[in-house]
Amino acid sequence: MYTIPFSVDVCSYKQTINELRSALRFGIDPKLESVEEMLDVLDRPDAQFTSVQIAGTNGKTSTARYTAALLGACGLRCGLYTSPGLVAYTDRVEIAGVCVSQEEFALGIAAAQEAGARVNAARKKAGKEPYSITEFDLITAGACVMFARAHCDCVVFECGMGGRWDATSAIQSITTVGITGIGLDHMRILGDTKEAIAAEKAAIIKPGRRCVLGVGTHESASVCEVISNQCATANVEPVVVYEQLNATDVMGAQSPADLHEPALSTCAYMGPHSMSTYTIQHVPHSFSEALSLDIHTPISTYTQVKAYKPVYQAANIAMAYALAEQFLTHALPYAPAAQQVLQCRTPGRFDMLCTQPLLLIDACHNPQSVDVFLSSLQHINPACLHDVVLLCAVFADKDVDGIVRRLASRFPRIACTQTANPRALPADELARRVAAYAGYVPTAYPTVLAAYRALHEQPFVACGTITLAGELSRLVAARANN
């Protein structure tokens, strides 16, 4: 039974959040040493459970959610660590499908803060420069305390950024890793090519770990080679997930390009590997229809797996099955697993907050995920592409032109805003960038609140960043409660 090895002064939840926000001044500081030393001071709470770590540009949050749900279906008390939180900080830490309480969150963060203070005191005494302990460092270490105190059997950790220097890589109990896909993301830190980014994410593949590679990892030969080389260096033979198209049941009037997935693979994975495939049996064409797929893993076969989700979630569900199997090293119980997938929530991902009038949010935040979002809208509700306003917000460190070029080509009416996140591109600058592709200057709202007040009585769709989805979720919930 884990206990925090020292006494801590616990603040109120509100004060805890204020202190976490103050740590944002350190920005993003990729390193492992600070979190490793904090976990050591905390008597290694991460040793109390075994872990899955998931990296990737797109799909890693959904894959993490499905993986945790599947492990829960096997009778394990599973924790889930994602980032950022959609509505509140407590959203980032779930135990058996339930977000931690504000009191437990405040205690975990207080323990992490005290550990950080002790680490830096020791460094000063040794004549070393103190660490700049970031918000993400504190939440990661604090989450490990929360999971250990809750007696979790296992935890699924989503990388915040990259993999090599991500704070979650300081966790020593990782037995299984997954990479969902590679795209241009966080380029100021991870590199400005897919190959450089792939190398950072593939660094989580280490000797002795089991590994699953999603469909997005084998879309180019150069990325395949980077990941293959890391697998060879670590002496790890991965399970690689492929889509196998079912032309009779799926295609209809659609083309393979519409599904945004290759038939098996456009690039043969380089190196020895096992194969896991999935076949989409039904593509939903309304919000009331279920996606259906069959999954064939190296261990078992699962037929008629259903989810009330757009087609792009098929790849994430299939990868989650492979990850859960590799973690357990045995097949999953068919009926409980299928039920967990059907019930699994994916907040902020193709998420309808209102029906009258329509308000649909999506966390797509780079060109690849925008393509998938647009394809899903075309399948499920094509009217959205010409009858509603698009509200857009983007982070400045993203491929802004790649995002807005795609959105401007599909939506005739666009409005721009900026979230409260310090990484947000100013609304007027985003409007200028949109105008270059749309041929008109869109309305710019200085805050999400201002945009919501202006648009909430008409149907609209919002996308571009998870923080936009989160801020809108809070506003809709507040309005419903008044």
Side-chain angles (χ1 to χ4, degrees), residues 19-20 22-29 31 33-35 37-38 109 112-121 123 130-141:
E19 292 184 12
L20 279 176
S22 73
L24 287 170
R25 70 185 185 277
F26 296 119
I28 299 170
D29 186 15
K31 62 183 181 306
E33 295 85 355
S34 57
V35 182
E37 293 179 29
M38 289 163 66
I109 298 303
Q113 289 172 321
E114 177 61 23
R118 292 184 178 215
V119 165
N120 275 340
R123 289 183 65 81
Y131 292 125
S132 296
I133 297 176
T134 68
E135 176 208 45
F136 195 68
D137 293 343
L138 289 170
I139 299 175
T140 302

Side-chain angles (χ1 to χ4, degrees), residues 10-13 16 90 100-109 146 149:
V10 184
C11 302
S12 68
Y13 176 72
T16 298
T90 50
V100 295
S101 67
Q102 293 183 353
E103 293 76 15
E104 189 63 22
F105 187 88
L107 175 60
I109 298 303
M146 298 176 221
R149 282 174 48 83

